[in-house]
Amino acid sequence: MTELDITAVLGGVVAALRRAGVRAGVDPRDLNPPCAWVTGRSIAHDLLGGGGTVTADVYLIAPDTGAAQALWALSGMLTKALTVLEPDGDTSLSERVTLPGGGGPLPAFRLTLDIETC
């Protein structure tokens, strides 16, 4: 049986985003918008031998500098992210994320990815 390394799966998404020029991480304490937060949502144990499909959410987060500036920053990150990621389904354009460092909710887009592991 193969061990599921969810940290490595999410780390692969972070690495791809960074190669595309998007600051990204899995620990929200380390994020400084504009950036992407990669988090695991669920896993479907659908492969023999212990593999499965990890569902991950990628939140593209902008500073709260007004709607027009936030949309500009989020759209730029989305354009870069889509060069390395293939989301499953629609991208949510009306998310809000509160980071642990304090402050209010920040504007965000959400992409969902299904990543098969072996």
Side-chain angles (χ1 to χ4, degrees):
M1 182 178 209
T2 303
E3 181 178 333
L4 287 171
D5 189 348
I6 296 170
T7 302
V9 171
L10 299 179
V13 176
V14 168
L17 287 166
R18 288 179 179 170
R19 282 192 306 274
V22 177
R23 288 188 306 193
V26 295
D27 190 340
R29 297 173 298 178
D30 297 334
L31 300 177
N32 183 23
C35 60
W37 174 32
V38 179
T39 183
R41 183 195 316 169
S42 65
I43 184 164
H45 305 279
D46 53 7
L47 300 175
L48 293 176
T53 301
V54 174
T55 299
D57 287 326
V58 176
Y59 290 92
L60 304 175
I61 307 168
D64 191 6
T65 54
Q69 281 294 104
L71 285 172
W72 180 82
L74 292 168
S75 295
M77 282 190 290
L78 179 61
T79 298
K80 291 177 182 178
L82 291 176
T83 66
V84 293
L85 303 178
E86 190 172 326
D88 293 294
D90 296 334
T91 298
S92 174
L93 304 179
S94 60
E95 300 289 326
R96 306 288 285 174
V97 173
T98 302
L99 296 174
L106 300 173
F109 289 172
R110 180 178 42 86
L111 296 85
T112 300
L113 310 171
D114 288 328
I115 307 157
E116 285 191 19
T117 65
C118 10

